[in-house]
């Protein structure tokens, strides 16, 4: 089992996570071995097991790191806009942006999702980590809507689940047919309509 914290632990974990991200993307979650990850990070297997119990635990740490990346990017994009520039169309555009690292993450997260579906205990833990991301997105979206002078008329948790489902399905098609469907196209086209349908003006708010 992982040992207690040390001064070097954050650096070690960061290197193991980056190595795992690379190896998972190259050979898949099941194809990657702990030796592969440790070697790529420049450590021994002992260093791996001092920080993570297994590949599942390491991947869940990657889920949390990716969630923080997504949250920070969205929050920074929204905070840089003046109130007059923040419209429902602009919110949809900001949420629809696709970064170069998103394709790599899509590859490894899709395979791990299938792994989790086949193993209920892993699925339970995976769901708990994904719920943290949804909670963060709910806060970001609520704040963004408020700045436009609108509020959600539906449960924001359910709305975020729907947006994630659209996003994942859209990216799946785009990565297979990039010339026919550029990444983010469906989101930019239809999310403004959805946002307008599920929000209402706040009385007294200045939009």
């Amino acid at each position: 089992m992982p040992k207690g914290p040390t001064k070097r632990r954050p650096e070690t974990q960061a290197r193991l996570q980056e190595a795992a991200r690379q190896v998972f993307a190259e050979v898949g979650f099941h194809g990657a071995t702990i030796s592969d990850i440790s070697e790529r990070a420049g450590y021994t297997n002992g260093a791996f097991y001092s920080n993570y119990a297994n590949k599942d635990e390491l991947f869940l740490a990657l889920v949390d790191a990716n969630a923080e990346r997504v949250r920070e990017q969205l929050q920074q994009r929204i905070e840089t806009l003046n109130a007059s520039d923040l419209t429902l169309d602009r919110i949809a555009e900001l949420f629809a942006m696709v970064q170069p690292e998103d394709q790599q993450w899509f590859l490894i997260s899709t395979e791990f999702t299938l792994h989790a579906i086949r193993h209920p205990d892993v699925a339970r833990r995976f769901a708990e980590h994904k719920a943290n991301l949804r909670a963060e997105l709910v806060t970001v979206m609520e704040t963004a809507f408020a700045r436009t002078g609108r509020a959600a008329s539906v449960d924001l948790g359910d709305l975020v689940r729907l947006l994630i489902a659209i996003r994942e399905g859209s990216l799946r098609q785009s990565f297979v047919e990039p010339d026919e469907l550029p990444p983010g196209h469906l989101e930019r086209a239809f999310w403004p309509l959805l946002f307008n349908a599920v929000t209402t003006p706040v009385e007294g708010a200045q939009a």
Side-chain angles (χ1 to χ4, degrees), residues 1-188:
M1 294 296 292
K3 299 178 182 178
T6 67
K7 292 182 179 180
R8 294 183 181 178
R9 185 170 297 278
E11 178 186 352
T12 302
Q13 291 179 344
R15 287 173 59 179
L16 285 168
Q17 288 178 27
E18 179 55 30
R21 181 185 292 272
Q22 295 173 11
V23 176
F24 288 158
E26 291 169 8
V27 302
F29 177 80
H30 290 291
T33 67
I34 289 173
S35 294
D36 293 334
I37 296 168
S38 301
E39 183 177 353
R40 181 71 62 94
Y43 294 122
T44 64
N45 286 0
F48 179 98
Y49 286 113
S50 291
N51 288 274
Y52 302 104
N54 48 46
K55 286 194 300 180
D56 289 348
E57 187 173 294
L58 174 54
F59 185 86
L60 293 174
L62 283 178
V63 171
D64 292 339
N66 186 69
E68 181 63 16
R69 174 182 69 86
V70 171
R71 184 199 62 78
E72 286 184 354
Q73 289 178 347
L74 285 173
Q75 193 164 339
Q76 289 173 2
R77 293 168 194 164
I78 291 172
E79 289 177 350
T80 58
L81 294 177
N82 296 323
S84 59
D85 296 325
L86 193 60
T87 63
L88 293 181
D89 283 8
R90 190 68 175 125
I91 292 174
E93 183 179 343
L94 294 176
F95 274 69
M97 291 179 68
V98 178
Q99 302 297 322
E101 60 266 32
D102 288 339
Q103 183 169 4
Q104 182 191 66
W105 178 251
F106 183 85
L107 284 172
I108 61 178
S109 63
T110 297
E111 185 176 3
F112 189 82
T113 298
L114 296 176
H115 168 66
I117 291 171
R118 295 187 180 101
H119 300 85
D121 183 60
V122 178
R124 178 186 55 77
R125 288 184 287 147
F126 190 27
E128 291 171 354
H129 286 258
K130 289 171 71 69
N132 294 333
L133 171 59
R134 290 198 305 274
E136 295 281 2
L137 293 180
V138 164
T139 300
V140 172
M141 180 158 286
E142 185 175 33
T143 301
F145 283 159
R147 288 187 58 194
T148 69
R150 301 180 72 87
S153 57
V154 299
D155 182 86
L156 274 177
D158 288 343
L159 178 59
V160 167
R161 280 186 180 274
L162 176 61
L163 296 178
I164 291 173
I166 294 171
R167 174 72 159 188
E168 291 178 348
S170 176
L171 287 178
R172 183 176 296 108
Q173 295 179 67
S174 294
F175 292 146
V176 172
E177 305 175 82
D179 295 332
E180 294 293 327
L181 184 66
H185 173 75
L186 292 179
E187 297 93 311
R188 288 190 295 270

